[in-house]
Amino acid sequence: MHHPTSTADLTALIRDAAARAQPLRLVARGTWLNGGAPVSTTAEPVHLDAFSGIIEYEPGDLTITVGAATTLAELEAVTAAHHQWCPLAPWGGDAGSVGATVATATAGPFAHALGLPRDLVLGLEYVDGTGKVLRPGGKVVKNVAGFDLTRLLTGSWGTLGAITRVSLRLRAHPATVETWAVAIDEAHAGDIVRGLRRSATPPDACEALDATLAVQLGLGAQSQLLVRLAGNAAFVAAARADLHSRGAAVAADASLWMRLREAPRAAVARAAMSPGVRALNDRVKRTFDPANILNPGIMG
Amino acid sequence: MTLADTLRAIVGETHVLVRPAELIVYESDGLPGYHRRPSLAVFPADADEALRVVRALAAEGVSFVPRGAGTGLSGGALADGTVLLGLQRMRKILEIDPVRRVARVEPGVVNVSLTKAAAPFSLHYAPDPSSQTACTLGGNLAENAGGPHCLKYGVTLNHVVGAVVALPDGEVVTLGDPHGTGDAAGYDLLGAFVGSEGCFGVALELTVKLTPNPERVVTLLADFTSINDAAETVSAIIAAGVLPAALEMMDQATIGAVESSIYAAGYPTDAAAILLVEVDGAAAGLDDDVQAVDRLCRAHGARDVRIATEPAARAKLWQGRKKAFGAMGRLAPHLVVQDAVVPRTKLTALLAQIAEIGGRHRVRVCNVFHAGDGNLHPNIAYDAGDADESARVHLAMKEIMQACIDAGGTITGEHGVGLDKLAYMDSLFTADTLDAMCRLRDVFDPERRANPGKVVPVRFCREQRPHKSAG
């Protein structure tokens, strides 16, 4: 077991593992989603929890830089004190780390309206498979300087580098927020979700729950639509009226969103790659982790 | 057969240019000051011809530079003695899918043409660079272009869902998820390709998101007698939780240039700065946001706030902003255009620093920028024929860029690095990070033939390792 406490430690450890061709398994909070494929059983765990804490937070900029192992719960608490939040809010709940959320590009219920991880990450610090400390991107909200290693790392499942720092975009809390549950016929769930998202007053989250999940969340035995309306008071009033015109909506507790995020989920589905795209992926991996030691096998 | 003959056989006699007099048009892009003449320019009509051209260039081992409308502001689309691959004939909108809200287009489609074509479905293409009446979607993809409305709607990266790409070796790959299946497949190579400035290959076809037209749009013009008051208003609006569609600022020098040009928009010429704020979205609640912006502007010292709701009145307010760079063209023969981004809370300090630097070097800086994003465009009009003035402009710009970097910002928010910002790259990134960027380019273009010499200074790119073998 390895427990690096600085990027210099991490560099030394990755260089050493590369020289020994020893696979490593990156761990921050140990809550990663099922990637659909196990990491090689001979991999030595590398605990990254030392890379934790708020590094820079200027609320007026609506951006924050944190150590990658910072929990989502800490990110939420620190930003909430300034009436701000990060819409990453991924499936799996708030026990996991910011770094793992970015590494796995795990979205959540707010992604459709407020952005996927790739849309929210501004910059990174990470150590690649050759032991180099890299700092692509930045901490400002708009940045096209250089080739986009930040997007490349987002969703790379720790196979191209161990992320140590993340800069993120934040949002101000909306003035008014309401959560509603609407009993629905599961067969029409897709149409109802589409209809709501295309209304003049779209919700900022809208998830269809099957009957099993509805029971788990204490919403009764019928399929439900969980809807979050957010905006100024007049907007939310209009959105509420629109929602009521579509079905019998019942006011629900905001804590349901966390319980929904924490509910168990299926393994990540992976689409087949064309030979050309597969070749590019292989080249990327060979370029940034030539010894094939970082989370080998996890992407299938 | 010469290369020109080979290419003529693919695209036809009239679509290959070799004579210096014809090539002179392609010596510059939207940024005056750089001149690089291509050896030849070739203009394919469609994806099939473009691919055959790329393969012919690969067979000869010839370098090339893809180019859209040439409106770029970084010298990125200049070919220095190499082949210029012009894509502006490829301007077909292949499909508009109003149900999935996406469009499939060729790379030469002009940005605003897509918005016009989507209008019958009450949809539009959201990223709106100021050059949107001329620039192409392929160029937007290459530069990860922005625009005023990116504050709320995001930049090109957030709106491209797929691209069919010809790699420089002639292989064709589909990146991203153009069909919207939603499944993850490997690394985010589309994310890496967007903004790669023509160095990773040529997009033959793009699939982009279309955005519903807002129910209502209101544009506010607030004028200030102090530039600090204007800058502080920007932070106050964002902090209040209002997310305007656009939040733009122009200083007195820019207002003067616009108002004495044919693009005059009725801006108050005695104002130290104006803010142009657009609020859009659902009709419900919009007035409350407009009132909040109005109130915040006045509370921070705005002398007057004009509110435009009718399309003609709004378009007039916007005209001056969108044509500001053009209007500056009247001030002097040359213009340096910068594109730095700073954290929003540093705007006030940076504007003061820019004014101090400009004053010290006796150059006239015009600021017109995306204030809501902290994306500054400090521009300097000058005469490149005047060696002393040119030297002062150069020094001033270097200091301005360093000030932005020191404030925690970046050297380009939407224009790209190209040639113009190469010199600043090692102030922003470590040598290892620059080398990693080169290695990413080598994944797509191991022979380094696509837009060579741009984005990352060559001295930071280690010798490449043999790459071509296995898989």
Side-chain angles (χ1 to χ4, degrees):
Chain A
M1 192 187 95
H2 304 281
H3 203 145
T5 58
S6 66
T7 49
D9 280 0
L10 192 52
T11 291
L13 132 67
I14 287 178
R15 284 196 177 144
D16 175 63
R20 295 185 289 129
Q22 168 59 50
L24 302 174
R25 167 72 158 109
L26 306 178
V27 184
R29 300 289 159 189
T31 64
W32 280 34
L33 291 189
N34 183 347
V39 173
S40 152
T41 51
T42 59
E44 295 172 357
V46 180
H47 291 272
L48 297 166
D49 50 288
F51 297 90
S52 177
I54 308 301
I55 293 164
E56 196 176 343
Y57 178 31
E58 176 60 63
D61 292 330
L62 283 172
T63 59
I64 193 167
T65 300
V66 301
T70 305
T71 62
L72 293 153
E74 186 179 354
L75 176 66
E76 167 65 24
V78 166
T79 53
H82 295 274
H83 310 287
Q84 296 180 355
W85 69 300
C86 179
L88 273 180
W91 302 121
D94 270 359
S97 71
V98 171
T101 306
V102 171
T104 58
T106 305
F110 305 105
H112 188 271
L114 302 177
L116 294 162
R118 81 201 284 267
D119 304 314
L120 300 172
V121 180
L122 304 171
L124 299 174
E125 177 188 79
Y126 68 96
V127 181
D128 76 3
T130 68
K132 293 262 168 40
V133 183
L134 307 176
R135 294 187 192 93
K139 55 183 190 185
V140 285
V141 295
K142 231 169 140 189
N143 191 354
V144 297
F147 300 127
D148 201 343
L149 295 162
T150 306
R151 247 43 61 187
L152 187 74
L153 264 282
T154 305
S156 67
W157 288 77
T159 63
L160 302 178
I163 299 175
T164 50
R165 257 182 207 205
V166 181
S167 296
L168 293 165
R169 186 189 282 277
L170 301 176
R171 291 207 165 225
H173 276 160
T176 310
V177 183
E178 294 178 0
T179 295
W180 295 87
V182 188
I184 53 163
D185 173 1
E186 203 176 331
H188 300 126
D191 291 341
I192 299 171
V193 169
R194 238 182 329 272
L196 267 178
R197 282 179 176 164
R198 282 163 189 227
S199 72
T201 49
D204 79 352
C206 173
E207 289 291 322
L209 322 179
D210 63 20
T212 318
L213 203 48
V215 170
Q216 269 179 40
L217 268 55
L219 290 169
Q222 200 186 338
S223 307
Q224 296 281 333
L225 200 63
L226 198 60
V227 180
R228 193 176 100 141
L229 307 175
N232 66 32
F235 176 92
V236 171
R240 189 194 310 128
D242 174 70
L243 183 66
H244 283 279
S245 76
R246 291 165 195 264
V250 179
D253 197 276
S255 65
L256 284 177
W257 291 106
M258 182 58 78
R259 289 172 59 201
L260 174 63
R261 285 171 50 206
E262 287 171 348
R265 299 183 74 81
V268 175
R270 300 217 178 263
M273 286 186 242
S274 69
V277 170
R278 166 64 71 184
L280 283 174
N281 271 270
D282 290 347
R283 252 144 64 181
V284 168
K285 176 70 170 167
R286 279 205 305 276
T287 297
F288 294 105
D289 179 20
N292 192 28
I293 53 166
L294 298 177
N295 281 2
I298 201 171
M299 290 184 82
Chain B
M1 211 154 69
T2 66
L3 178 64
D5 288 335
T6 308
L7 298 176
R8 283 189 190 102
I10 298 169
V11 300
E13 199 72 28
T14 56
H15 300 298
V16 176
L17 306 180
V18 293
R19 291 207 303 274
E22 297 171 321
L23 292 171
I24 206 164
V25 182
Y26 299 97
E27 273 190 0
S28 295
D29 60 7
L31 188 65
Y34 289 93
H35 304 278
R36 303 279 189 280
R37 191 172 305 172
S39 60
L40 171 162
V42 54
F43 303 91
D46 55 26
D48 176 60
E49 285 188 10
L51 181 59
R52 286 160 64 201
V53 167
V54 169
R55 287 181 175 161
L57 298 171
E60 303 272 334
V62 174
S63 296
F64 65 94
V65 179
R67 178 175 171 121
T71 56
L73 292 168
S74 66
L78 305 190
D80 194 1
T82 59
V83 169
L84 187 135
L85 173 51
L87 300 160
Q88 74 262 41
R89 289 178 67 214
M90 295 174 61
R91 49 175 179 252
K92 281 197 287 294
I93 294 172
L94 302 169
E95 186 187 357
I96 288 183
D97 181 341
V99 178
R100 276 185 56 217
R101 292 183 169 169
V102 293
R104 204 158 54 81
V105 301
E106 290 187 333
V109 170
V110 169
N111 176 298
V112 83
S113 307
L114 178 58
T115 283
K116 282 184 185 154
F121 307 104
S122 299
L123 299 169
H124 70 287
Y125 179 66
D128 61 337
S130 293
S131 58
Q132 71 185 129
T133 54
C135 66
T136 65
L137 293 170
N140 294 170
L141 173 84
E143 300 300 314
N144 191 10
H149 288 82
C150 292
L151 175 61
K152 176 171 177 180
Y153 292 99
V155 294
T156 304
L157 171 77
N158 312 115
H159 292 270
V160 178
V161 297
V164 178
V165 169
L167 299 177
D169 68 0
E171 171 103 35
V172 177
V173 289
T174 298
L175 305 180
D177 182 20
H179 306 294
T181 59
D183 291 333
Y187 301 126
D188 186 359
L189 298 178
L190 179 65
F193 190 85
V194 174
S196 60
E197 304 198 26
C199 297
F200 289 5
V202 184
L204 304 175
E205 184 183 305
L206 292 68
T207 304
V208 300
K209 286 185 201 170
L210 297 173
T211 302
N213 295 343
E215 236 180 353
R216 257 189 88 205
V217 186
V218 177
T219 309
L220 298 93
L221 176 75
D223 79 82
F224 293 83
T225 50
S226 143
I227 196 161
N228 282 359
D229 289 347
E232 276 160 22
T233 305
V234 172
S235 287
I237 291 171
I238 301 286
V242 177
L243 182 55
L247 177 39
E248 302 283 304
M249 185 160 154
M250 294 166 79
D251 69 0
Q252 191 164 34
T254 307
I255 297 167
V258 167
E259 287 304 312
S260 57
S261 78
I262 58 160
Y263 307 121
Y267 300 151
T269 50
D270 61 338
I274 57 168
L275 289 183
L276 201 55
V277 189
E278 190 149 283
V279 181
D280 76 357
L286 198 81
D287 285 335
D288 294 345
D289 280 358
V290 170
Q291 281 160 22
V293 171
D294 186 1
R295 205 168 45 239
L296 287 164
C297 288
R298 291 182 195 276
H300 285 82
R303 202 166 48 167
D304 186 30
V305 180
R306 268 190 259 166
I307 298 179
T309 52
E310 294 310 310
R314 291 200 309 100
K316 188 162 184 204
L317 288 184
W318 270 111
Q319 171 175 288
R321 166 62 187 90
K322 293 240 170 181
K323 302 292 188 189
F325 285 21
M328 286 174 202
R330 299 176 69 255
L331 301 178
H334 294 92
L335 185 69
V336 278
V337 176
Q338 289 303 359
D339 180 35
V341 185
V342 296
R344 232 174 331 240
T345 51
K346 302 274 173 54
L347 272 178
T348 312
L350 253 297
L351 287 169
Q353 249 182 302
I354 289 171
E356 185 277 320
I357 293 168
R360 186 154 37 79
H361 293 286
R362 290 174 289 121
V363 296
R364 186 161 194 207
V365 184
C366 300
N367 288 293
V368 47
F369 58 96
H370 311 305
D373 288 320
N375 189 181
L376 296 161
H377 292 313
N379 300 336
I380 304 179
Y382 72 110
D383 178 358
D386 179 337
D388 175 61
E389 188 184 16
S390 299
R392 284 184 281 116
V393 168
H394 181 72
L395 278 175
M397 273 304 169
K398 230 177 124 173
E399 288 184 29
I400 289 172
M401 293 301 257
Q402 194 57 50
C404 293
I405 294 171
D406 292 344
T410 187
I411 58 171
T412 173
E414 55 182 11
H415 295 169
V417 176
L419 281 177
D420 191 52
K421 294 170 190 76
L422 269 179
Y424 306 116
M425 284 294 273
D426 65 334
S427 312
L428 191 61
F429 296 114
T430 63
D432 281 343
T433 304
L434 292 170
D435 175 62
M437 289 177 183
C438 295
R439 288 186 284 144
L440 177 59
R441 164 195 264 173
D442 288 346
V443 165
F444 288 87
D445 181 20
E447 295 176 344
R448 299 181 183 173
R449 284 189 298 106
N451 211 359
K454 308 284 171 57
V455 185
V456 181
V458 175
R459 68 180 188 282
F460 290 101
C461 302
R462 268 184 302 173
E463 256 328 286
Q464 61 214 88
R465 290 165 297 242
H467 222 327
K468 282 193 119 178
S469 57

